[in-house]
């Protein structure tokens, strides 16, 4: 066991954490925070955007269907994304829980997830049931202009996946990953025109999830308009409180 000095969070390889959902608009910091939470609890970060981009790069059947949709900033059809998540949740590393980053993004996806978790729970022992308990939803709230700046400034490492920002989280050497020296890349959909479509899709299709999860009492709001460490501390403390309930 390893205790973090600044908070009551205890790192352990045994604790069952259950499903965690990161909810928030593009640029809110879901990927950045999901990575930190995943490392803290030793659970996998499941990013539907990353899985889709990997499929596009490998030109799989799914990737070929998703490419043009993603490039114009629309959402990939629910059935395709849900099938992809269903396969991922069956993998052995989800035994203590998992953190979903970018999923669900529509009410249909959220309803599907609830049903899917219930289905998995039905066939499990006690530990397996806890790993697939109803999810805790962390909602990141960030002001619109800040989102635009975060998205236009976002760069990522194609090798280790680390996320940078030319304005807020620059690498030590411009354009180069601090960890492995790879040349950083900008996502094809992080252009102003596509960003505006993605933010519209968020408002219309994803924002209704706030009401959906609030109704179940499992939604926690976090101020995402703070430095990365402050956001992380608020999220971890929210998770610890929920787990103590
Ligand atoms: P961001 O982190 O900026 O919100 P993501 O990497 O999560 O972006 O998603 C990139 C794109 O992948 C989305 O604009 C959408 O086209 C597709 N995508 C990712 N997750 C989903 C999902 N759950 N449902 C539908 N489309 C998705
Ligand atoms: P999302 O997955 O929600 O689209 P990311 O985690 O990819 O968001 O973050 C979007 C951009 O904003 C990245 O360039 C990241 O470095 C930066 N970023 C993330 N969190 C913060 C923060 N708290 N303050 C400033 N910039 C941030």
């Amino acid at each position: 066991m390893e205790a973090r000095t600044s908070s009551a969070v205890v790192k352990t390889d045994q604790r069952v954490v259950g499903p965690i959902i990161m909810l928030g608009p593009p640029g809110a910091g879901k990927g950045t925070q999901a990575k930190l939470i995943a490392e803290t609890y030793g659970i996998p970060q499941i990013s539907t955007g990353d899985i889709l981009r990997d499929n596009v790069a490998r030109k799989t059947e799914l990737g070929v269907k998703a490419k043009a949709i993603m490039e114009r900033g629309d959402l990939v059809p629910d059935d395709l994304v849900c099938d992809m998540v269903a396969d991922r949740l069956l993998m052995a590393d989800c035994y203590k829980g998992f953190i979903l980053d970018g999923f669900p993004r529509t009410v249909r996806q959220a309803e599907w997830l609830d049903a899917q978790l219930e289905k998995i729970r039905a066939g499990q022992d006690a530990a397996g049931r806890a790993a697939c308990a109803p999810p805790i939803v962390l909602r990141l709230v960030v002001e619109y202009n800040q989102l635009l700046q975060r998205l236009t400034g976002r760069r990522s490492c194609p090798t280790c996946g680390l996320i940078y920002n030319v304005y807020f989280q620059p690498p030590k050497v411009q354009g180069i990953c601090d960890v492995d020296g790879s040349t950083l890349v900008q996502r094809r959909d992080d252009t102003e025109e596509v960003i505006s479509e993605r933010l519209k899709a968020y408002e219309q299709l994803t924002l209704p999830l706030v009401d959906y999860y609030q109704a179940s009492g499992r939604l926690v709001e976090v101020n995402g308009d703070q430095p990365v460490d402050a956001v992380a501390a608020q999220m971890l403390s929210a998770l610890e409180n929920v787990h103590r309930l």
Side-chain angles (χ1 to χ4, degrees), residues 46 48 51 78-92 94 98 100 103 112-113 116-117 119-120:
I46 302 178
T48 43
I51 302 174
D78 290 333
D79 293 347
L80 294 181
V81 183
C82 290
D83 285 351
M84 190 177 94
V85 172
D87 290 344
R88 184 63 186 85
L89 295 188
L90 291 177
M91 291 172 74
C94 293
F98 44 86
L100 290 166
F103 183 91
W112 173 87
L113 179 66
Q116 188 70 8
L117 292 175
K119 204 159 87 185
I120 302 176

Side-chain angles (χ1 to χ4, degrees), residues 13-14 22 26 52 54 120 124 149 155 172 194 206-207 235 243:
D13 287 332
Q14 269 78 49
M22 303 291 306
L52 285 167
D54 177 60
I120 302 176
Q124 301 278 332
Q149 211 181 350
R155 302 290 184 273
K172 291 192 183 99
V194 184
T206 310
L207 207 50
M235 290 209 149
H243 282 294

Side-chain angles (χ1 to χ4, degrees), residues 23 38 49-50 81 83 98 100 104 118 121 131 137 153 159 178 184 186 190-191 197 199 205 209 234 236:
L23 184 61
D50 284 350
V81 183
D83 285 351
F98 44 86
L100 290 166
E118 204 174 313
R121 274 199 299 275
V137 183
T159 310
D178 296 346
L184 301 181
Q186 182 168 24
D190 275 346
T191 57
E197 290 309 311
L199 289 169
L205 299 167
L209 288 182
Q234 210 182 323
L236 291 172

Side-chain angles (χ1 to χ4, degrees), residues 26 30 48-49 53 70 74 76 102 105 109 154 187 198:
K30 302 182 297 294
T48 43
R53 277 185 290 279
M70 293 170 75
D74 287 340
V76 175
R105 252 178 159 97
Q109 290 179 15
R154 174 162 59 189
R187 269 169 48 176
R198 286 159 59 211

